[in-house]
Amino acid sequence: YAVLAEYCERNIMLEIDRSHLITKTIVKHMPKITDKEIFKELVNSIYNYHGGFSVRNALKLVLHIPLRPENLCKMKWNEIDFDKKLLTIPREQMKVKNPNIEDFKMPLTDEVISILKEQKEELKLYTNELNYVFVGADNRSHINKESPNKALQLLSFNDEKKGRKIRLHGFRGTIRSMIDTLDTKGKILYEAKERFLDHQEKNKVVRAYTHGADFQLHLQELTNWWSDYI
């Protein structure tokens, strides 16, 4: 504007080396647990947690299904089909909201069904309003996503240098890493591992041709195998 308005003869900003002004951003990944023995401690600590039942059961569930914190904490009972043993979360509530991609559907194992039934029975002792699965202190709204994080802190999973730090979102990285570590013979389909985390194909052409593929049987095998390991 200044050059066009003849306030100055040239744009001096074009002569500045931007590398001196803008530093490269270093991406720091969420802390995760990848050691088998520490992971075993995590599982046992969660199953023996004596805090609020909603936080305990939310942490138990995310061990089996690595949902994003938002989807876990805001899960609703109408998204769960106990007869079909299926969790269905509308696509618009997921991180990837592309309407051309089907809703998030995850087979539920016997252990997950057991966790959900336990949660429902506990919940009935405090309220008749069954909307959110994991409720906060008011027994109406969903739990805050920081509540499970505070529980993990209380359980002493805070030491990142020793590989012992994890927060709610870190379960996704932990579980993906553990599955790859345990699947030594490569029996688990790569696409099933990705669908387990609701990771979508980034290539639009590939996605256009494969979006109708049904991986539910593969997911069922994966979820059962993973729950058995837990």
Side-chain angles (χ1 to χ4, degrees):
Y1 171 80
V3 172
L4 291 174
E6 298 183 348
Y7 293 131
C8 60
E9 293 183 357
R10 69 185 193 283
N11 182 358
I12 61 172
M13 295 300 291
L14 295 176
E15 301 168 10
I16 294 176
D17 185 351
R18 294 180 64 192
S19 64
H20 294 306
L21 302 177
I22 304 173
T23 56
K24 185 177 180 181
T25 302
I26 298 174
V27 178
K28 191 176 188 304
H29 296 292
M30 291 281 182
K32 60 186 177 183
I33 291 172
T34 57
D35 180 272
K36 289 182 183 179
E37 291 305 312
I38 298 175
F39 183 68
K40 181 179 179 179
E41 289 181 44
L42 175 67
V43 172
N44 284 307
S45 294
I46 288 173
Y47 268 78
N48 292 302
Y49 178 62
H50 296 298
F53 68 91
S54 279
V55 171
R56 180 185 69 242
N57 286 328
L59 285 171
K60 284 167 65 175
L61 191 137
V62 81
L63 277 170
H64 295 267
I65 303 177
L67 295 170
R68 294 183 177 89
E70 190 85 0
N71 298 124
L72 175 72
C73 295
K74 292 184 178 181
M75 185 188 297
K76 294 183 177 181
W77 288 110
N78 62 14
E79 296 170 351
I80 300 162
D81 189 323
F82 283 96
D83 294 328
K84 294 182 179 179
K85 297 173 69 174
L86 185 69
L87 168 68
T88 303
I89 301 178
R91 177 49 53 188
E92 62 268 19
Q93 294 179 26
M94 301 300 291
K95 181 179 179 180
V96 179
K97 306 181 188 300
N98 188 334
N100 295 312
I101 301 174
E102 65 174 9
D103 293 340
F104 176 79
K105 295 182 179 181
M106 184 59 55
L108 302 178
T109 65
D110 290 341
E111 177 62 13
V112 172
I113 292 293
S114 176
I115 293 167
L116 291 169
K117 286 184 176 179
E118 177 187 327
Q119 175 66 13
K120 181 172 278 191
E121 289 304 310
E122 291 259 24
L123 200 57
K124 285 180 179 178
L125 297 175
Y126 300 93
T127 179
N128 292 320
E129 186 175 329
L130 295 178
N131 185 21
Y132 292 107
V133 176
F134 305 113
V135 297
D138 63 358
N139 292 319
R140 295 184 65 184
S141 59
H142 60 81
I143 58 172
N144 188 295
K145 60 184 179 182
E146 288 305 316
S147 297
N149 287 336
K150 289 178 181 177
L152 291 166
Q153 284 180 292
L154 290 172
L155 292 170
S156 299
F157 288 95
N158 298 314
D159 196 333
E160 190 168 359
K161 288 184 178 179
K162 292 184 178 180
R164 289 183 58 85
K165 183 174 181 178
I166 192 168
R167 295 296 178 261
L168 200 53
H169 197 281
F171 280 80
R172 294 170 60 77
T174 287
I175 292 171
R176 186 66 169 83
S177 296
M178 292 294 293
I179 289 174
D180 279 339
T181 298
L182 296 167
D183 184 28
T184 55
K185 296 182 179 179
K187 291 184 177 180
I188 302 171
L189 199 67
Y190 171 79
E191 287 81 1
K193 295 176 185 178
E194 291 294 278
R195 293 296 177 97
F196 197 33
L197 299 169
D198 194 47
H199 285 168
Q200 301 297 329
E201 173 60 55
K202 292 182 179 179
N203 186 296
K204 293 181 180 179
V205 176
V206 174
R207 191 169 65 229
Y209 281 99
T210 62
H211 79 280
D214 187 355
F215 292 99
Q216 285 300 299
L217 287 177
H218 295 285
L219 275 172
Q220 196 169 46
E221 291 175 2
L222 171 56
T223 53
N224 284 327
W225 171 80
W226 179 245
S227 267
D228 286 345
Y229 180 73
I230 298 295

